[in-house]
Amino acid sequence: MNKLIRIVLMGGIIAMAALTPALAKDITVRVINIDTTRPGNIMAMVFGSEGYPIKHGKALEIQNKKAENVEIIFRFNMTQKSFAIKILHDEDETGKTSKNWTGIWPSEGLGFSNGAKLGLTGAPSFKNARLDLDGIEGDIIVPIIYP
């Protein structure tokens, strides 16, 4: 094979490698502390930094399951290097976090990855809830906290 053909082939191989998406990894999110006396669905949302945690339309993936058990498992196939998870017990099935009479605090149960919690300033930041795909070993456990 002449030198020019080898260079062209190597260039093609390198270009293909650069365009190949990152390897995917299956992750398991185990939602615990579900109050089964409340109606509705449990929504598991995976976000990149954009839109987290309020703009559900910006979530990378959303899965819903009926709130029939105190623990529910969700499985996601992830390629995003860094992400955060929001769990919502969507009692009224609106797909949004409903607020209590103040119009500020949630009236439905919420949970966030990495142990992040609501604070006086509102929802946790992406930085506080962030998980790195390379660091995931075993299930990601997210408890729901109810108001």
Side-chain angles (χ1 to χ4, degrees):
M1 196 179 315
N2 77 30
K3 192 173 183 178
L4 180 60
I5 292 174
R6 274 192 248 158
I7 291 171
V8 170
L9 286 174
M10 286 303 291
I13 291 169
I14 291 169
M16 284 177 51
L19 295 175
T20 302
L23 294 177
K25 182 176 183 178
D26 291 327
I27 63 166
T28 300
V29 177
R30 189 160 41 111
V31 181
I32 62 171
N33 197 38
I34 298 168
D35 183 349
T36 57
T37 64
R38 296 174 182 239
N41 296 318
I42 303 300
M43 292 179 67
M45 297 167 263
V46 178
F47 286 87
S49 60
E50 188 177 347
Y52 178 82
I54 296 168
K55 296 181 180 175
H56 296 178
K58 301 250 181 188
L60 302 171
E61 187 173 349
I62 298 175
Q63 293 181 19
N64 287 288
K65 293 187 179 182
K66 282 286 183 201
E68 298 174 331
N69 299 304
V70 295
E71 182 176 300
I72 295 177
I73 303 279
F74 292 92
R75 289 189 173 80
F76 297 94
N77 186 265
M78 294 297 299
T79 57
Q80 184 90 11
K81 273 182 78 169
S82 296
F83 58 94
I85 297 168
K86 176 183 179 180
I87 304 296
L88 168 64
H89 188 154
D90 187 18
E91 294 180 45
D92 55 9
E93 298 185 32
T94 62
K96 300 176 185 175
T97 305
S98 297
K99 308 289 187 203
N100 69 6
W101 61 272
T102 65
I104 299 168
W105 293 101
S107 62
E108 299 173 306
L110 293 168
F112 304 95
S113 53
N114 205 26
K117 293 182 173 53
L118 290 172
L120 293 176
T121 59
S125 68
F126 179 79
K127 179 182 173 187
N128 290 340
R130 176 184 157 169
L131 298 168
D132 292 316
L133 190 59
D134 292 342
I136 304 290
E137 298 293 332
D139 294 355
I140 299 165
I141 299 171
V142 181
I144 294 184
I145 299 171
Y146 292 90

